[in-house]
Amino acid sequence: MKTDVKNNAHKQALTGHGKQLAARLLRAQAGTIFLLACVFSLVQPYNGYLYFWGVVAGGFAVFIPTALFAWRAFAHGGARAAQQVVANFFAGEALKISLTVVLLITVLLVAELPLVAVCSGYIATIIMQWLAPILLLKST
């Protein structure tokens, strides 16, 4: 009985830590999107709002799938649920890639937003995702 309680507490600690890191990544991505959108809208003398929304749309093509992936990946935790963890991870990654492609194509084809703004928002959000492990984790 005691070992079950210990294992459950350890599982929740690992899952909780992962959820905290995912939340920090999402906050960093949202901040990046907002700051870049503000810079684009201030730099453009005409139609600055189009550039703002272009950056937001490009950034959200990464942000939304990343949030769904994090939710899916951390749905289960612990050694007893190892197969579920792996299955959720791969399903979440497939969902993330598919949704990113669909959102980006939709934004580029449907919305009449500046291409440079959409691509900048997309790229900046991806770069933040790559840099997040370096910036958010404390060195040991």
Side-chain angles (χ1 to χ4, degrees):
M1 182 75 164
K2 273 188 167 180
T3 57
D4 287 343
V5 172
K6 273 187 174 179
N7 287 340
N8 193 25
H10 183 65
K11 174 183 83 167
Q12 289 176 348
L14 288 175
T15 305
H17 183 66
K19 286 180 182 179
Q20 287 176 349
L21 287 174
R24 289 173 69 188
L25 166 65
L26 292 171
R27 283 194 300 270
Q29 285 182 328
T32 300
I33 293 167
F34 180 72
L35 288 175
L36 186 62
C38 288
V39 168
F40 264 77
S41 67
L42 292 174
V43 171
Q44 296 300 320
Y46 303 106
N47 297 328
Y49 67 95
L50 288 176
Y51 286 84
F52 179 91
W53 291 114
V55 171
V56 170
F60 272 27
V62 176
F63 180 82
I64 292 170
T66 301
L68 289 174
F69 169 78
W71 171 73
R72 178 92 187 204
F74 295 112
H76 300 284
R80 291 186 182 172
Q83 289 180 338
Q84 283 182 315
V85 170
V86 172
N88 279 340
F89 184 85
F90 284 114
E93 189 64 26
L95 174 70
K96 178 181 165 185
I97 292 169
S98 301
L99 188 58
T100 299
V101 169
V102 168
L103 288 174
L104 197 56
I105 288 173
T106 302
V107 166
L108 292 173
L109 293 179
V110 174
E112 294 181 15
L113 297 169
L115 181 63
V116 68
V118 173
C119 290
S120 295
Y122 178 80
I123 291 169
T125 309
I126 288 282
I127 289 173
M128 179 51 69
Q129 185 170 319
W130 294 340
L131 292 178
I134 297 166
L135 300 174
L136 299 178
L137 292 176
K138 296 177 183 174
S139 61
T140 55

